[in-house]
Amino acid sequence: MVDSVTGLRLSVENLIRLVCVAVAALALAACGGDDEEEGAEPSATTTEAAAPGEGIRVGLVTDVGQLNDRGFNQLAHEGVQQAERELGIESRVLESASDSDYVPNMSQLAEEGFDLIVGVGFAQGEAVATVAREYPETRFAIIDVDQGSLEGNPENVVGLIFREEEVGYLAGYLAALVAQREEGEDVISSVGGMKEPPVDRFIAGYQAGAKAAVPGIEVLNGYSQDWDDLAKCKEIALDQIARGSSIVFQVAGGCGLGALDAAEERDLWGIGVDADQSFLGPHILTSAQKKVDRAVYLTIESIVNDEWQGGRNLVFGLEEEGVGLGKVSSEVSEEDLATVEDVEQQIASGEIADIPTEVP
C-alpha cells in the first residue's frame, strides 16, 4: 500500500514536471517569436506609402527681383515649397541677378534633368522659348506669358496667365468708394513698374473699376521702368499725392514698396499687389492678389498626377480663385465691403464682362 501511494505520488510529481516543462517551452517559443518579429523587416502593410511626387524635381528661375521681393517671386517659391510638403517633390531655386542669367539658369536645370522648369515673369519669355527648343524633352512653365506668343510655339511649354484686370477692377472699385467718403477731390493713383501686359491689365482694371464706382473720379498713373529701386516708385507716388491722390496702388514689385512707403509717410492709403501685403502696416487698404503660388502648385501637381499637357495656357481668374482681394482694412465700412463683394460675384458669374486690359 505504501509502495502504491509512493508510486502514485511520484507519477503525479512527474506529470507536474512534464507540464511545467511544456509551459516553459511554450513561453520560450513565444518570446523567441517576438524577438524574431522585432528583428524582421517590416511588412509591406506597415511601410509608409511613398510620396506621390517622389523622384520628381522642379527648378525655379526667378526674375531680377529675386526671392526677397515680398511678392511675385516669393509667391512662386511658396508654390514650389507647398509641392515639396504635400507631394514630396524635390526642388532647386536659381536666382537671376540680371536678364542675361535667364538662359544659363534654365539651361543648367535642363542639363541636370529637372522634370519641370518654372520661369517667373514676362521678361523670361524669350529665354524660355530658346531653352525649350534646345531641350524638347524637358517641361517648362512660364508665368505671365502666352504660350502661343513664344517663338516656335514650343509644345513642351505651358503659359500661366492671370486675369489681373478682374482683381484690379475690384481694387479700383473699393478705392473709389473709400476716396469718395474722404475730404478733398476724388483722386486715386497707380504706380506701375515696366509697361508690360500683366502690369497694364492690373492698372486698366483698376481704372475701370474706379470709374464704375464713382463716375468722374480722376485716376493718375505712372511707370518707374524699374522693378527694384524703391526710390523711383516713391518719387512717382509722392508726385501723385501732391496732385491730390489719396490712395496709391503699387504694381511694381519690389520697387512698388517705395510707393507704399510714400503713402504711409503722408498718412494715406496704399494698395499692395501680388501677395497680401497687409503685413506692411495699417495703411494698407487691401491688396490685389495674384495667386502665383496656387498656379505653380497646380502645374506641379499635374505632372505628379500624370496629367501634364504642354502647348497651351492655364488661365486663372476670380472664378478659378487665381486672383482676389487680400485682407481689407477694418476701417472700410460694411456697406462698401458688401458692395465690393457683390461686384466680385458679378465678375465671377460673367455679369460684369469685357473689363479693359490695356491702359489708354
Side-chain angles (χ1 to χ4, degrees), residues 298-316:
L298 291 175
T299 303
I300 297 171
E301 187 179 47
S302 73
I303 293 177
V304 172
N305 295 338
D306 198 25
E307 296 172 347
W308 161 274
Q309 293 180 40
R312 62 174 180 153
N313 292 322
L314 298 177
V315 182
F316 300 90

Side-chain angles (χ1 to χ4, degrees), residues 234-299:
K234 185 171 184 176
E235 182 180 355
I236 294 171
L238 288 172
D239 177 68
Q240 294 172 343
I241 292 169
R243 295 164 60 190
S245 175
S246 60
I247 301 174
V248 180
F249 176 32
Q250 80 97 345
V251 195
C255 173
L257 297 176
L260 298 181
D261 285 345
E264 183 178 24
E265 283 185 9
R266 295 296 188 269
D267 197 24
L268 300 173
W269 291 114
I271 298 177
V273 76
D274 295 333
D276 187 336
Q277 296 184 320
S278 59
F279 65 88
L280 292 172
H283 64 293
I284 302 300
L285 178 64
T286 189
S287 300
Q289 287 185 285
K290 181 172 174 175
K291 300 180 183 179
V292 174
D293 51 342
R294 174 173 169 79
V296 169
Y297 176 84
L298 291 175
T299 303

Side-chain angles (χ1 to χ4, degrees), residues 102 115 139 148 181 211 224 257-258 308:
Y102 297 152
D115 299 281
R139 289 167 287 204
R181 291 182 181 275
K211 292 174 182 178
S224 64
L257 297 176
W308 161 274

Side-chain angles (χ1 to χ4, degrees), residues 1-245:
M1 181 68 173
V2 173
D3 291 342
S4 297
V5 171
T6 301
L8 178 60
R9 183 183 296 116
L10 291 172
S11 297
V12 171
E13 290 174 352
N14 289 336
L15 179 60
I16 291 172
R17 289 191 185 98
L18 288 172
V19 170
C20 289
V21 169
V23 170
L26 287 172
L28 287 172
C31 291
D34 287 345
D35 289 342
E36 186 175 337
E37 287 177 7
E38 289 177 5
E41 291 293 325
S43 65
T45 57
T46 60
T47 303
E48 289 187 9
E54 185 175 351
I56 291 176
R57 297 192 299 160
V58 176
L60 179 72
V61 177
T62 74
D63 70 9
V64 294
Q66 304 190 357
L67 294 180
N68 61 355
D69 66 349
R70 299 185 182 183
F72 204 67
N73 289 285
Q74 179 184 330
L75 285 171
H77 189 217
E78 288 176 2
V80 172
Q81 289 178 313
Q82 181 185 358
E84 282 186 330
R85 293 191 305 271
E86 299 181 9
L87 304 176
I89 60 105
E90 299 176 29
S91 73
R92 184 177 177 188
V93 178
L94 296 182
E95 296 191 75
S96 305
S98 68
D99 292 359
S100 62
D101 290 334
Y102 297 152
V103 169
N105 283 344
M106 290 182 187
S107 298
Q108 180 180 338
L109 294 171
E111 282 289 338
E112 294 177 4
F114 276 72
D115 299 281
L116 173 67
I117 299 170
V118 181
V120 182
F122 184 81
Q124 295 191 39
E126 290 185 11
V128 78
T130 298
V131 181
R133 290 197 302 272
E134 293 179 3
Y135 298 89
E137 300 304 315
T138 302
R139 289 167 287 204
F140 294 82
I142 179 67
I143 297 167
D144 276 351
V145 177
D146 183 340
Q147 183 272 343
S149 70
L150 297 177
E151 185 177 350
N153 193 24
E155 291 296 314
N156 54 333
V157 178
V158 163
L160 305 182
I161 306 297
F162 297 83
R163 294 193 174 98
E164 295 94 345
E165 69 275 11
E166 294 183 348
V167 67
Y169 190 98
L170 291 179
Y173 207 103
L174 175 62
L177 293 178
V178 171
Q180 188 181 42
R181 291 182 181 275
E182 298 182 351
E183 295 181 1
E185 298 180 2
D186 295 335
V187 183
I188 61 175
S189 62
S190 54
V191 179
M194 300 291 185
K195 185 172 172 57
E196 297 174 350
V199 173
D200 276 2
R201 287 195 291 267
F202 270 123
I203 295 172
Y206 181 73
Q207 294 175 344
K211 292 174 182 178
V214 180
I217 191 171
E218 185 176 3
V219 187
L220 308 174
N221 182 52
Y223 298 91
S224 64
Q225 301 301 329
D226 192 282
W227 295 119
D228 306 300
D229 190 340
L230 276 67
K232 289 182 179 180
C233 287
K234 185 171 184 176
E235 182 180 355
I236 294 171
L238 288 172
D239 177 68
Q240 294 172 343
I241 292 169
R243 295 164 60 190
S245 175

